[in-house]
Every structure is written in structure tokens, then in C-alpha cells.
Amino acid sequence: MDTFILIGITGIGLGALYFLIASGLSLIYGLMGVLNFAHGSFLTVGAFVGFWIASKTGFETSMPEFILAMIVGGLAAGLFALLIEQLLITRLYDRHIDQALVTVGVALVVGAVLGGWFGNDLRMFPAPMWFLTAIDIGGAKIPADRVVYIATAVLLLVGNWALLKFTRIGLIIRAGVENRNMVNALGINVRRAFSTVFFLGGFAAGVGGVLVSVYSNGVSPLIAGTYLIYGFIVVVIGGMGSVPGSFLAAMMIGVIRQFANYYATGLGDFVVVILLAVVLLIRPQGLLGKVRA
Amino acid sequence: MLRWKYSRPLLVLFVSLLALAPLLGSNPLSQPGFQQTMAVAFIWGGLALTYDLLFGFTGLLSFGHALYFATGVYVTCILINHEVVVWWLAALISIAVSAILALLVGAASLRTTGITFAMVTLAFGEAGHVILQRNFFNLTGGENGIALNADLIPEFWISVANTKFIYWAALAALIFTYVVIWWVTESSAGRVFAALRDNELRVQVLGLNTQRFKLLSFVISAALAALLGAVMLIAAGSAAPRFADAGVTISLLLMVVLGGAVTRWGAVIGGIFYSVATTRMQDLTQQDAFKTIPKWIGGPIAEPAFVLGLLFIFVVMFAPGGLSGAYYRLRLRAITKKSQ
């Protein structure tokens, strides 16, 4: 039973990491129709900036310092995302394929720059020591860092929900995902909503980057690779433009992947792709996605 | 017409020169090292062309094309190493396997369109990549891949002195790919592909089964990619998971966009240029003069992805149509000037 709980919670922790990257991807796609291949580089930028802050404090960071690293990493990634949006994406207004292509270029250039500066080897991330302690949940010893991932993801989900539900810009974003042309026709500046979504998506990815570098024991320009792909899968399964859908799908995929990996060694990725195929065949719009008119 | 009247005879002449070069006295192409570089470049040129069929001609942005290339590499290698069939039959079987795989994956992923299709093909491609890295049934050799057993293939495929045969094989595979894709895109099915790209709804209204045509394009390009994969196996001497990496498909996208989509020759030139550029740039950055450049700028430049990525962004933003697009714009200007 305790192994069951351990695998389950580790899966949810992994799902939380997927959610951090997928939430931004999903909103950006839902609102603007941009398939953002640069999202992985937002994650990497956040991870490196977070690493820079955290390593100022030596081999070990206290929890407030770690939270500071997370926030600064997130902000840096958010600003970087904003820069990319203003500099490149807005100029290719409504040329969706070209927008996707430009983000591919951004991902390549960012990877090359970081690789050229820091090399592609993993650098140890100075995480708080208590991440290594185990928390007792139902007889299972859960590594403490998993709890941090889950808490961060839940916090971001709630924050996201509150923003979308209670603020004016949130209302514009929701309306824009629903029908962008109508919002435009009503004389509301949707561009501002675009920038907001890019910043928020970048922020979530940057925070995710710091956590991913803890999870994979260090930072390198290559850490984003599999998370971006899992982010895409989560977005497709959860439904484009639906943040709760992404959350649900991320948790589901994290848990299924961990269980499959445990009971059938190494089959986790394979099972996830089968799941993707099944969802596409039964519900092409995703779990909580709406059918586009 | 936009085509220059001498372009075809000149192309035939140039290709014959390329084919004969290893036999003519001393020139760069009589050296095994450069023959190898060009053989690999021809394979990439052909692959870029198969990607152009999908992306340029049919408007399908697939991010999982590497899967079919890797199928060609791996299936051929496994069949040869386990002495199942002779080498050329192994290559043929790998093409068939790849086509069947594309039929299955395509049938599922073509239920989606546009950007979702891109994500879904990416997921399938990555699944293939992961499976190859896992070494199931001890077939794929895990992360190290598998070396082709040199005793089981004819002698003319091995040893440095015989590199010219690999060169010819790659050139022949490129020409074959070019001819097949030329034939397909000029056929009536090719017209439907282009119509699907430009306005899918209208094709539907005309009563054609759009799914079936997309699937046809998907399968043809996968089969040709497997053929090039089989040639790549002989050129590289081993099958490795890097052939299935999503980075391969992204490189193909870069090649097609840099060279220019929908012109066929643009994709081929883009592929050859990209392949030669990445190998040559690595040589360049090994030189001493390069080491004097400060590291904060020299480091990124040493990565081929930096320069090519910037070039790519520039082409997408300011020069849509890439190299061949620019050429045709110039031709158009010259022709209109003449007619005035």
C-alpha cells in the first residue's frame, strides 16, 4: 500500500511539473493559436536565472531563498516571453504556421546561446536541504520536494483561476479564447491580453524551470526537452485553451506514467502515447476542450 | 514562364558531373572524406524533399517525420544483422514497414488538423524515439544504437576506398526521391494535395475524401524517408537513436524553409546546404583564429544552431519563400521588365 501511495504522489508531483509548462502553452494556444516551441526555452531561462540566484547563497539555500529564486526565475522567464512576443510574434499577426516556425528558431538560438555560455553538462542546483527529507503520508515515505511541486502547481492553478475569473484582463482573455474577433469588434484591445498571457505563461514555465532543475538534480540547456513534449501532450489531452483541463490531464499523465513505469519497466512513455491516441480517437477536442466553430 | 529555359539541360549536365566526379582525376570529389560529406548531404537533401511533400505541397506540418527515417535505418539494420534477408531486401522491407507505420499513425493523427496535428505527430515521433532508446527484446541496442555488421553486407559498401559507392548510392537515392516526388506532385493527386493546403473546405465540397489524400501524401513521404534511412545506415555504418530525435524533424523544417518550400529544388538545396554547413562550421570553430574571439560571443557561434536559427528567424520574418522564393521573385521582375 505504501508503495502505491509513494508512486501515486510522485506521479502527481511529476504531473505538477507538466502542468506548469502546459498551462502557459494551453492559454497561448487558446487565445492566439500560437504553437509555442519556445516555451521550453522560457523554462530553461527561468531555470538558469533561478540557479544564479540560488547559487549566490552557496551549496545550500534556505526555503525563503529558494522561493525568491523561483519568483525571480519566473519573472525573468516572463519578461523574456514578453520580449519574444513583442519582437517576433506580434509582427506575424495571424500567420499561425510562421509564428510556430519563429518560435522553433527562438528555441534553437536560446539553446545554442546557453549551451555556448555554460556548456551542456548538468550543474548541481543548490536546493534546500529539507527537500531530501521524507514526509510520512499513510505509511509511505514521500520525498519532500514532491510536495513543493504539488503546492506550487495548485497555487498557480488557483492564482490563474482567480485572475481569469475576477479581473478585467481575465475576462478579456476568457472572452478572447471563446471568440477573439468578437472581442476585437467590441473595441477592446486584445493585444494587451496577448502580452499578459505570454507573460503569465512565461512566468509559470520559469517557475517550473526552477523546480525541474531540482527534480533532475541540476540545470543544463537540455532539461526542457522532454517537458516541452509532455506539455504538448497534456495540452492536447486536456483540451486547447482550458487551464483546468491541462491540470487534470497533467495529473493523469504524471500518475499513469509513474505507475506504468513501475509495473512495466520503462513502458511509461509508451502508455502515455497510447492514451493520447485513444483520446484523439474518442474526443479529438480533448477532455475539457470545446469544439471550435 | 518562370522557369529559365536552360535550367533543365544545365541540371542534367550538373548532376552528371556530380556522378562522374569521383572518376575524374583529382578534384574535391575524388577524396573519400568529401565523398562521405556529400553522401550525407545528399541524403539530407532527399529527406528535406520528402518533408517538402508534406509541409510545402500538402500543408501538413508534421513534427514526427524523423520516425519514418529512423524506421528505415533501424529495420534495415536489424534485418541485416540477424541475417533474416539480404541487404537490398532488408531495405525494401524497411520501406514497407515504414509505409504501414505511417498508415496507422497517419490515420490516428490526421483526425486533427493544423497546429494540433503538429503536436500529435510530435508525440508519436517522440514515442518512437523513446522506444528505440529502451532496447526492447534486445533489438535496438538502447541509447548506443546498433552497429551494422560489416561481414553481412557486400564488400563495396565498406572500406574507405569504396566510399564512392556510398556517394553514388546517396546520389541515386536523391535522384529517385526527386523523380518520385516530381511525378507525384505533378499528377492529379498532387493537384489535390495543393488544393488541400490552400482550401480544404473546397476540396470537401467537391466531394473528394480529404483524409484519404492527406494519408496518401503522408505514406508516400514516409516510404521515401525510409529509403533514405536505409542509405543513411550504410553511410553511417550504424543505427542510433539520434536519427529518431525530434531535432531531426526540426532540422528538416529549417532546410525546407531556408531553401524555400513548394519548389522541390529549394528543399534539396536547403538540405545539402544545411548538412554541409553544420559539418564545416564545426571544423571552422576548431581553428586557432577562432579561439581568440571572446567566449561570450564565440561560444554561441560555435554552435551551428545559433547561426542557422538566426538565419531561420530572418527568413521566416523577412524573406518568406527562402532561397528559391527569392530566385523566382527576381525572375519575375526580370521577365516583367523585358515584356514592358
Side-chain angles (χ1 to χ4, degrees), chain B residues 110-126:
Chain B
L110 283 168
R111 289 175 61 91
T112 60
T113 52
I115 297 293
T116 322
F117 175 76
M119 291 190 187
V120 172
T121 46
L122 178 71
F124 278 114
E126 270 312 282

Side-chain angles (χ1 to χ4, degrees), chain B residues 27 41 48 58 71 89 95 162 172 203 295:
Chain B
N27 64 67
T58 322
T71 304
L89 198 54
I95 295 170
N162 285 334
V203 181
K295 190 175 177 279

